[in-house]
Amino acid sequence: MITGENSSANSVSTPSNSAVQMQELDPLTLGASEEVNTSSVCSESRKNSHSSKNIDVSVETFTPEVLGLRKKSPLNSSLYDLTFSEHSKMESEIRIGDGLKESTDGSTRVESMRGKTNEARRDEAITETSGVVTTVVSEGLSFVESTRGIVVVEEVALDRIHEFISGNVANLQNYNSCNNTVYEGKSDGQKSASVDRRCSQTVKSTENSEIGQSLQVSLPNIETFDEDSSDIFRKKFEDLDTKEIAEALTYELKKYSIPQAVFARKVLNRSQGTLSDVLRKPKPWNELRGGREIFRKMKEWLDLPEVKRIPQLRTEAALELDAKARRADLHGRGSKKSRLHFTDSQKRALFAIFKETKKPSKEMQNALAEELGLECGTVANFFMNARRRHPDV
DNA sequence: TGGAAGTCAATACC
DNA sequence: GGTATTGACTTCCA
């Protein structure tokens, strides 16, 4: 069984100054692949990473056989078959991937995360790993997530994946044949974007109730799996934390003095007001329809390495200022559509009615419009807007 | 067709 | 100057 919490440790500095404490260090593996991700969707972990806080991670060395892992791919591939034989409930969670590369001595590294909260595990996984393909198999997480090249799979999720694949087997070409790692050499963001489409990650897991049985899950080959199907797959399991994304983005924009207007226009292709609204009042993912797109874009941007996204946006900001000046100049010559503003008495009357009834009849709206000297459409708009903006009134 | 969701854009506000 | 608010428009869906 995996025991790692009490390991004594050597300390290795990573590019972002994190200290990784290990037993039986494998310098080749560390030197080549242990980059530390300095960004995270979670604002808290983002703050931590930006502050260059050292992170201690217990790492032990195990052979694949000890872990029930059967290496399937070439040495540098992250793809393994997992067989959770008698450890179906997984007392410990195992992180595999390039972090599990075979060492020069033929052993395999596994980081034990037992005893930590799911959030802690996820934050660590996000914060510590970069430039590698990492799979986190963690009991207690209830969804499949792709964050900066990290896939979190739990048995419940595996069941769902299996169920999905069963229903879409026609789309699964080269079912068990592909072994490629698709995002080697890509940026974090690219990895994240493509993580759901990566090819043939094979995971064998034991059902909770049926020890010894294994569930084989193969994700399709990116080369042969058509885009529509991969989209369906991605969207089926997508479950973004809109609040976290909104907080993280607000933090980033402030930190780098990026105006909402610039970000909204250049990255999201939306207006400043729209961005402000969703940042302040992000709706839960499951309540969104088309509004999910904006959060996907935010996350994609957050997933980009800072060196890439910040200078690019600053350049865009300068251009935006020029464009704004030109627009203002044009508007100055044209006419701006002025906006109606309710008087205090109109507002009081409208809200008084709204308090009583959220959906007044057409007749009532007409009467109200006449009484207040407003258009019927204006009154209808008021109630429409009030229902979503003041649901608690 | 009405209502909800998504959004724009004017403008109030800090 | 940047952000928050909000009246109105568009799109989607039942």
Side-chain angles (χ1 to χ4, degrees):
Chain A
M1 207 52 237
I2 302 159
T3 53
E5 305 101 310
N6 299 320
S7 13
S8 59
N10 298 321
S11 186
V12 176
S13 292
T14 63
S16 70
N17 205 28
S18 288
V20 179
Q21 299 188 338
M22 308 186 67
Q23 275 189 340
E24 299 181 39
L25 276 176
D26 173 11
L28 280 179
T29 307
L30 280 173
S33 64
E34 258 325 291
E35 293 174 23
V36 172
N37 196 339
T38 56
S39 58
S40 160
V41 170
C42 170
S43 58
E44 201 49 46
S45 56
R46 184 177 298 282
K47 284 173 203 165
N48 290 341
S49 63
H50 288 155
S51 63
S52 299
K53 185 180 172 184
N54 285 349
I55 300 161
D56 294 335
V57 181
S58 300
V59 178
E60 287 193 330
T61 303
F62 297 92
T63 62
E65 291 75 17
V66 167
L67 298 166
L69 302 175
R70 180 165 58 82
K71 187 182 172 200
K72 188 183 176 187
S73 54
L75 183 63
N76 284 332
S77 168
S78 62
L79 303 176
Y80 285 81
D81 277 354
L82 288 185
T83 304
F84 295 148
S85 58
E86 75 275 17
H87 306 307
S88 63
K89 287 295 286 180
M90 295 304 292
E91 288 174 36
S92 300
E93 288 70 33
I94 305 173
R95 296 181 54 187
I96 62 167
D98 278 11
L100 244 176
K101 276 180 187 170
E102 206 167 70
S103 308
T104 48
D105 61 2
S107 63
T108 301
R109 295 188 300 109
V110 171
E111 299 177 11
S112 172
M113 301 177 87
R114 182 167 55 184
K116 298 174 183 174
T117 65
N118 287 335
E119 277 66 31
R121 293 174 196 135
R122 287 173 57 195
D123 282 352
E124 285 184 12
I126 289 166
T127 308
E128 297 150 17
T129 314
S130 172
V132 298
V133 180
T134 303
T135 299
V136 180
V137 179
S138 175
E139 186 181 310
L141 297 175
S142 60
F143 54 91
V144 177
E145 172 181 278
S146 72
T147 306
R148 293 186 178 77
I150 294 167
V151 179
V152 181
V153 183
E154 74 147 335
E155 289 175 25
V156 174
L158 288 174
D159 287 343
R160 292 170 60 192
I161 294 169
H162 192 235
E163 189 184 310
F164 174 78
I165 288 171
S166 300
N168 292 273
V169 69
N171 291 322
L172 302 179
Q173 300 171 30
N174 287 348
Y175 190 66
N176 285 319
S177 62
C178 181
N179 246 347
N180 301 328
T181 301
V182 295
Y183 30 81
E184 285 250 334
K186 286 188 175 183
S187 71
D188 285 357
Q190 287 170 312
K191 287 169 202 161
S192 179
S194 60
V195 67
D196 300 314
R197 298 179 298 178
R198 77 196 193 286
C199 89
S200 191
Q201 165 113 13
T202 303
V203 180
K204 284 184 180 175
S205 171
T206 305
E207 302 260 350
N208 286 355
S209 56
E210 297 173 53
I211 294 172
Q213 270 192 348
S214 68
L215 165 67
Q216 174 136 356
V217 178
S218 294
L219 303 187
N221 185 342
I222 192 167
E223 303 296 335
T224 55
F225 190 36
D226 63 90
E227 193 64 28
D228 287 348
S229 299
S230 86
D231 257 12
I232 292 167
F233 184 88
R234 176 171 59 84
K235 285 174 180 171
K236 187 176 174 78
F237 296 111
E238 206 173 19
D239 183 14
L240 303 185
D241 187 330
T242 55
K243 192 161 176 273
E244 267 188 32
I245 292 174
E247 285 173 359
L249 185 62
T250 304
Y251 174 81
E252 291 288 293
L253 295 183
K254 281 209 170 80
K255 181 176 176 183
Y256 295 102
S257 302
I258 299 165
Q260 285 184 356
V262 171
F263 186 84
R265 189 49 65 202
K266 297 297 174 187
V267 178
L268 305 177
N269 197 24
R270 300 288 191 283
S271 68
Q272 176 271 324
T274 298
L275 175 59
S276 173
D277 202 39
V278 297
L279 288 182
R280 285 176 62 80
K281 292 167 278 183
K283 289 169 77 173
W285 183 253
N286 58 6
E287 289 178 21
L288 291 168
R289 289 194 324 212
R292 289 182 172 186
E293 195 53 39
I294 198 170
F295 285 100
R296 287 194 190 104
K297 286 181 175 175
M298 286 182 201
K299 185 172 178 298
E300 267 177 33
W301 185 82
L302 286 167
D303 284 346
L304 287 173
E306 286 174 42
V307 288
K308 212 171 177 183
R309 67 186 188 210
I310 302 301
Q312 185 184 358
L313 213 51
R314 288 204 166 128
T315 308
E316 300 277 14
L319 295 171
E320 176 73 10
L321 283 175
D322 289 348
K324 199 175 175 182
R326 281 196 296 276
R327 278 200 302 273
D329 193 37
L330 278 173
H331 275 301
R333 283 179 247 157
S335 60
K336 242 181 182 180
K337 188 182 174 187
S338 63
R339 225 181 66 180
L340 168 74
H341 235 82
F342 295 131
T343 64
D344 281 350
S345 59
Q346 284 171 333
K347 248 184 196 170
R348 272 199 301 275
L350 287 165
F351 272 110
I353 300 293
F354 181 69
K355 249 184 176 175
E356 296 305 313
T357 169
K358 302 285 182 285
K359 284 186 190 176
S361 66
K362 202 80 193 163
E363 291 71 32
M364 192 187 275
Q365 287 185 32
N366 289 342
L368 198 52
E370 196 170 339
E371 182 71 28
L372 299 174
L374 295 167
E375 296 286 324
C376 294
T378 299
V379 173
N381 281 337
F382 169 84
F383 283 99
M384 183 76 76
N385 286 324
R387 276 196 292 275
R388 59 175 160 174
R389 289 173 181 159
H390 312 286
D392 303 326
V393 172

